[in-house]
Amino acid sequence: MLSAFAVYAVAFVARPVGGLIFGYMLDRIGRVKVLAMTIWLMAMGTAAIGLIPTYESIGLAAPLLLVICRLAQGFAVGGEITGSTTFILESAPAGRRGTWVGIIYFFANIPNALVALMLLSMQLLIGKETYLEWAWRVPFLLGGLIGIIGYWLRRNLEDPEEYKRASRTVESRNPLRAVTRSGVRSMLYVAMILPVQSVASYLLLGFMYTFLVKQVGLDSTSALLANAAGIVAYAIFIPIGGALSDRFGRKKVLSVGALWIGVLAYVSVRLAANGSLLEAVAGQVILGIGIGLYGGACFVTCAEFFPTSFRATGHAIAYQLTVAVLGGTAPLVCAWLINVFHSPFAPGWYVAVVALVNIVLIQFVPETKEVDLRTSIDSAPPAVRSSQGVGPVLRDLK
């Protein structure tokens, strides 16, 4: 059988590789065409998992097929995140980019809670044995159906006018400009603001449920409900954080969100560890609010660092690699810290330290609230880029 490490390694490389490939295609052939590809790939990979025969039926081929399906999903997610972000960013009205991007990330994250509740409801209705025997396939088949519906909704979309106008220039014909000095600088900025988002979201989405069951002793149903509450809070506060960044600036909201996480990450874990359902909900909701506020500003800023001509390529490389390195290794780091310090609360300190370091790094990235999407941070003097963005300066020069 395939080892758990091999499966993890496949998942580790799928998103950045898919992001790189689809990011380049997004800039070369258009946002809508690539988004149609990614949603089909996601739908087929998801539905196929629900159709895989059991290990007893086909032996080693079963886990191999599962890895292939997960690989397809990883490729699709890599392109889908960058594609949807750039499409919405370039379609949003002036002054509302953070809000609009925040809304799509709300809908990207809220299913994490809804699916958990759906699985719990299924097990209560039909029984856990029946669920484990065959009904576990139903959510995957439904996921494939939702993908088909998503393609139907996208089929008549057009590329944003911002992309159309930029694609007429000679520079836009070569998205590999993303690896030039200007593009690398923007990628570095992404790597400077994304760490706390990557590790904190893992703490909520990947660590807390297991922590509540194995360390705190909550039953799986209570742990699932408590974790779902935290995820809902996280999803709701993403557009709120985006809207606040539209009003007060990206860096201010990033700083407040990072400070919230830095101060309260460990407190949230300890509160959730007290053993009651109410405290488990409270701890995760508090954590989710901070991650949502930070994410609302972070997601839009990561895309605004790049000009339209190579936005998708640059964003895909920087975003997916940073998430893979920091988010992908977070489970290993957390397990190592728990073993070294002999404390299940160690991941809370890890996230807190990353958040406090991030507060410092945020001060060295440019403000992008008013940036002109066509040129992004490329054409403004460093002093201006770090304060108000390039948009007002260009208007003053006209």
Side-chain angles (χ1 to χ4, degrees), residues 22-368:
F22 284 119
Y24 179 81
M25 294 172 65
L26 282 160
D27 285 329
R28 285 288 290 177
I29 67 176
R31 314 307 197 208
V32 173
K33 289 181 180 178
V34 177
L35 284 171
M37 298 179 193
T38 58
I39 199 167
W40 269 118
L41 185 59
M42 177 63 74
M44 290 187 293
T46 302
I49 291 177
L51 298 173
I52 295 176
T54 63
Y55 181 83
E56 289 74 18
S57 300
I58 60 174
L60 187 61
L64 286 174
L65 289 173
L66 177 60
V67 169
I68 292 172
C69 292
R70 292 294 292 161
L71 186 64
Q73 288 179 318
F75 278 130
V77 169
E80 183 73 17
I81 291 175
T82 293
S84 59
T85 301
T86 56
F87 180 89
I88 296 298
L89 179 76
E90 293 164 0
S91 301
R96 300 280 289 170
R97 298 195 300 240
T99 305
W100 279 41
V101 171
I103 290 172
I104 67 167
Y105 278 90
F106 165 82
F107 284 108
N109 284 279
I110 199 66
N112 291 321
L114 298 180
V115 168
L117 295 177
M118 181 184 71
L119 298 182
L120 178 60
S121 299
M122 287 182 63
Q123 292 183 36
L124 292 175
L125 288 173
I126 64 176
K128 193 169 184 178
E129 291 185 3
T130 303
Y131 174 81
L132 293 175
E133 183 178 355
W134 63 267
W136 63 269
R137 300 176 182 272
V138 174
F140 292 99
L141 297 175
L142 289 176
L145 177 61
I146 291 173
I148 295 173
I149 295 173
Y151 171 77
W152 179 80
L153 293 173
R154 290 180 180 184
R155 74 191 195 287
N156 293 324
L157 293 176
E158 294 186 2
D159 285 322
E161 286 300 318
E162 166 65 25
Y163 171 78
K164 290 180 180 178
R165 290 193 295 267
S167 64
R168 298 188 187 108
T169 66
V170 175
E171 289 183 341
S172 295
R173 296 174 185 173
N174 182 20
L176 291 181
R177 287 179 59 241
V179 298
T180 62
R181 181 178 180 181
S182 173
V184 170
R185 183 180 69 240
S186 295
M187 292 182 203
L188 178 61
Y189 290 148
V190 172
M192 290 169 69
I193 69 170
L194 202 53
V196 65
Q197 181 66 35
S198 299
V199 298
S201 59
Y202 164 75
L203 182 69
L204 179 64
L205 301 175
F207 173 77
M208 289 304 295
Y209 171 79
T210 303
F211 171 75
L212 291 172
V213 173
K214 293 187 175 181
Q215 303 294 333
V216 179
L218 281 181
D219 62 274
S220 59
T221 299
S222 297
L224 192 64
L225 291 173
N227 190 234
I231 295 172
V232 169
Y234 167 46
I236 289 174
F237 273 84
I238 295 175
I240 293 175
L244 290 174
S245 75
D246 284 334
R247 180 168 183 177
F248 300 107
R250 313 298 189 218
K251 292 177 66 172
K252 290 181 180 178
V253 178
L254 287 171
S255 298
V256 170
L259 181 62
W260 182 302
I261 297 169
V263 172
L264 296 176
Y266 180 76
V267 175
S268 297
V269 175
R270 288 304 298 256
L271 180 61
N274 284 338
S276 73
L277 175 59
L278 182 60
E279 288 170 311
V281 169
Q284 291 179 93
V285 167
I286 291 171
L287 182 63
I289 291 172
I291 304 173
L293 285 174
Y294 189 90
C298 178
F299 296 134
V300 65
T301 305
C302 286
E304 287 175 331
F305 283 140
F306 302 95
T308 306
S309 58
F310 60 82
R311 174 167 294 116
T313 304
H315 179 273
I317 295 172
Y319 185 94
Q320 298 300 342
L321 283 177
T322 304
V323 169
V325 170
L326 294 174
T329 58
L332 300 178
V333 173
C334 289
W336 178 76
L337 290 172
I338 291 172
N339 183 59
V340 169
F341 292 99
H342 305 290
S343 171
F345 309 127
W349 284 120
Y350 171 52
V351 173
V353 170
V354 172
L356 295 176
V357 171
N358 236 150
I359 294 175
V360 178
L361 295 177
I362 289 165
Q363 312 316 311
F364 294 92
V365 303
E367 173 61 60
T368 61

